[in-house]
Each structure stands twice: as structure tokens, then as C-alpha cells.
Amino acid sequence: MRTRRLGRAGPSVSAIGLGCMGMSHGYGERDDAESVATIHRALDLGVNFLDTADIYGPFVNEELVGSAIRGRRDEVVLATKAGFVPRDGSARAPIDGSPAHLREACDASLRRLGVPTIDLYYLHRVDPRTPIEESVGAMAGLVAEGKVRFLGLSEVSPSTLRRAHAVHPITAVQSEYSLWTRDPEDGILAACRELGVGFVPFSPLGRGFLSGKVRTLDNLPAEDFRRGVPRLQGENLGRNLGLVDRLADLAREKGCTPAQLALAWVLAQGEQIVPIPGTKRRRYLEENAAAADLVLSPADLDRIEAAVPRSSVAGDRYPPESMALVDR
């Protein structure tokens, strides 16, 4: 597995990481045995960058990841997040970026993960009631205490990143980025390059849609959150399927899968970029990991851009209430 450095002075990680959310949250029934086997297979392949959060489950995903890496902690660059306030049975979790909550949340994550130190600790969303300087100041205190090694932010605007970075170096920004979510190109990618901050795209396969395996919502579990994604509704779904079909045609010519082509495109957008496609199955993990070896020429990139232009994607990536939480 190829490696990349997260930020100017951050850790070296596998060029493709593993998002663990779907093992416990948002994508239907859990299969903990297969999920643990997937994490073990990832480590065997050199995929060492694992991503979780306290809100996933809530709580149970951190416990799952912690159990899976027991005895192999030194092989892992472990990332988790705080900021949402998990509440069992609540459809929407409030955001709390206060220093008191972040300190409490970090201690709880350490217990669930079963580790003394978190490698990369993200503020999951910006709390509009707490200045970013206060949130990051508290997280910097966690670094000073040895509970956290590096700091990250998720779904922030360039101005917020700059304010945060002035308080304590930010190692990585995590936001959604893929062929059908190009919003980071409006400023945050440039800000990361300017400041020497790594960029970690989540959902680099468009919630699995760019793999070509999602053709209808009818086959998704009733509790799958993708049923509420505007891009997968009605006419939007039909229009976006056309984009996936064009991507699949290019993948066949290239001798790879659509998912691998989509991941290779993300990797080609800059050496500071480390995507974390999520899966809870070994076969998809292996397919995704192989994308790190797929080299795209300038001509390949031009053809992909022509087949899936930014302006052609139909619908928002979240419902309005969730869209209000991004790019803060």
C-alpha cells in the first residue's frame, strides 16, 4: 500500500484509509464479525488509517474498532471525532463544541477504544454557539495532556480553518469529496494546500452510488439513511444514474471497476488527499485498496471530467437541516 503524509507535519498513513461508520451506523444491519474481519484484512493489506466517531451507533462503532485493533494498535493511525451529542433514540443530535464537552467526549472515546492516545481527533461539526478558537483551544489541551496526537476539523469553511490553525496546527480537514461532491474545490482544498493541512475525503464513492451497485432505493434496508438523500430521490436518481453509467463505460476501458476509477480520480487531485471509503465487507475493501495502484493520465482525467462534469450532478447531498451544518 502506498503512503501519504497527512499535513506538513502529520503522520504517514496509507493512501487509502477505511471509514468504519457503516459497520455500525446508517447502512442497515450490523455484522460485527465481518466488520472485524474487514478491519483485520485492512491492516494486513497496509490500510492503516481507520476512521470512526462517537456519534456512530452511537458509541458502538468506537467499541467495535477498539476491539478489532486490540493487539495491533501499533499498526494503526486511529482517528475519531466529537462534537455531536449522541442521544439514544434521537433522530438528530445537537452539536456541542464547548471545551467541557470536548474534554468529556475525549475521555469517553479513549475508554471505548481501549487506547491511551487518539492519533487524530476531529471536531465533527462547528458549534455556532462556541467560537472555534475555544473549541480548538480545548483540543490543544488534550494534545498537551498526551490524550491526542494531532487535531482535525470536519466540514469547515476556509476562514474557520485559518482561525483554528492560528490557535493550534490543524493536521487534517475531513469533508465529503468525490466526483459528485465537488464543493471542496470552492476554497477549502486551496486553504489546506496553503496551510500545509491534509484533506481527508469521506464518501469518496458518493455513498456507494459511484460504484454502480445502487440502482434503486427499493433494495436498501428500511433504516438506510440514503433513502433520505436528495440525490437519490425521483428524477435526481435517474439523472445521476446516467453519470454512473458513463463512469462505468470508462472503467471498462481502463480495466478497472467504477469504484476504483472514482477513487483514483480523488487520489489524483493532490498528494495531500487521503480518501477514506467506507465498507463493512472484505471484498469491497480489497477492491477499494487496489485503487491506490491505478495511475490516471491527464487524458484519463479529462475524459472523466467530461463524463461526470461537476455541473451535471442533480440534487443536494443532504436534506436542508444537515446542509446547514457544513461549510461553517
Side-chain angles (χ1 to χ4, degrees):
M1 171 57 64
R2 300 174 188 273
T3 60
R4 292 185 168 187
R5 184 164 298 281
L6 269 185
R8 199 166 283 150
S12 176
V13 299
S14 51
I16 291 178
L18 175 60
C20 298
M21 182 189 84
M23 297 175 178
S24 312
H25 183 93
Y27 288 89
E29 292 184 4
R30 293 164 52 186
D31 183 344
D32 289 353
E34 177 62 17
S35 293
V36 169
T38 298
I39 291 173
H40 290 167
R41 181 62 177 147
L43 299 181
D44 293 342
L45 291 172
V47 176
N48 69 346
F49 187 33
L50 305 184
D51 182 271
T52 181
D54 57 6
I55 191 64
Y56 300 160
F59 308 127
V60 294
N61 193 243
E62 286 186 324
E63 294 169 350
L64 174 75
V65 172
S67 68
I69 66 173
R70 200 158 294 133
R72 303 185 69 171
R73 176 65 181 95
D74 60 350
E75 300 176 50
V76 177
V77 178
L78 180 61
T80 192
K81 315 176 200 68
F84 286 110
V85 183
R87 292 179 179 172
D88 292 330
S90 174
R92 292 188 60 196
I95 297 172
D96 188 348
S98 67
H101 173 72
L102 293 175
R103 287 192 292 267
E104 179 182 343
C106 181
D107 287 342
S109 288
L110 288 168
R111 287 194 298 271
R112 286 189 291 268
L113 291 164
V115 299
T117 305
I118 294 163
D119 295 311
L120 177 59
Y121 199 50
Y122 290 99
L123 180 65
H124 208 157
R125 292 291 188 275
V126 174
D127 178 359
R129 301 167 303 170
T130 305
I132 192 66
E133 290 83 357
E134 292 184 17
S135 297
V136 173
M139 295 167 73
L142 298 172
V143 175
E145 294 174 36
K147 296 178 179 180
V148 171
R149 294 179 62 209
F150 302 101
L151 301 184
L153 304 173
S154 182
E155 295 282 14
V156 296
S157 67
S159 61
T160 297
L161 172 60
R162 290 189 175 93
R163 288 168 55 196
H165 197 69
V167 175
H168 186 279
I170 300 299
T171 294
V173 167
Q174 181 179 131
S175 296
E176 186 171 351
Y177 186 44
S178 70
L179 273 168
W180 82 334
T181 299
R182 306 281 288 274
D183 305 4
E185 296 172 3
D186 293 334
I188 193 63
L189 279 175
C192 286
R193 285 193 294 269
E194 171 194 335
L195 298 172
V197 175
F199 188 79
V200 179
F202 69 83
S203 295
L205 297 178
R207 311 290 182 182
F209 188 69
L210 295 175
S211 71
K213 297 180 176 70
V214 179
R215 306 293 300 185
T216 173
L217 298 185
D218 295 340
N219 297 332
L220 299 180
E223 65 272 25
D224 194 308
F225 91 102
R226 288 175 292 183
R227 286 181 172 273
V229 172
R231 289 182 176 174
L232 299 179
Q233 309 297 315
E235 293 182 1
N236 290 342
L237 176 60
R239 288 179 57 187
N240 291 329
L241 281 172
L243 303 178
V244 172
D245 290 341
R246 293 201 289 273
L247 184 69
D249 290 340
L250 293 179
R252 278 191 291 272
E253 293 180 26
K254 192 71 177 173
C256 63
T257 68
Q260 289 170 334
L261 191 62
L263 286 172
W265 179 89
V266 172
L267 288 167
Q269 304 312 301
E271 283 295 319
Q272 84 281 16
I273 295 175
V274 180
I276 50 168
T279 184
K280 52 187 171 184
R281 296 182 176 88
R282 281 169 284 182
R283 66 181 184 275
Y284 295 143
L285 165 79
E286 292 168 354
E287 177 184 349
N288 294 341
D293 292 324
L294 182 59
V295 178
L296 301 181
S297 68
D300 291 330
L301 294 172
D302 287 344
R303 294 188 69 196
I304 293 170
E305 184 69 33
V308 191
R310 174 176 177 172
S311 60
S312 63
V313 178
D316 286 334
R317 60 187 177 107
Y318 286 129
E321 63 271 16
S322 295
M323 285 298 296
L325 303 180
V326 304
D327 196 32
R328 279 182 163 173

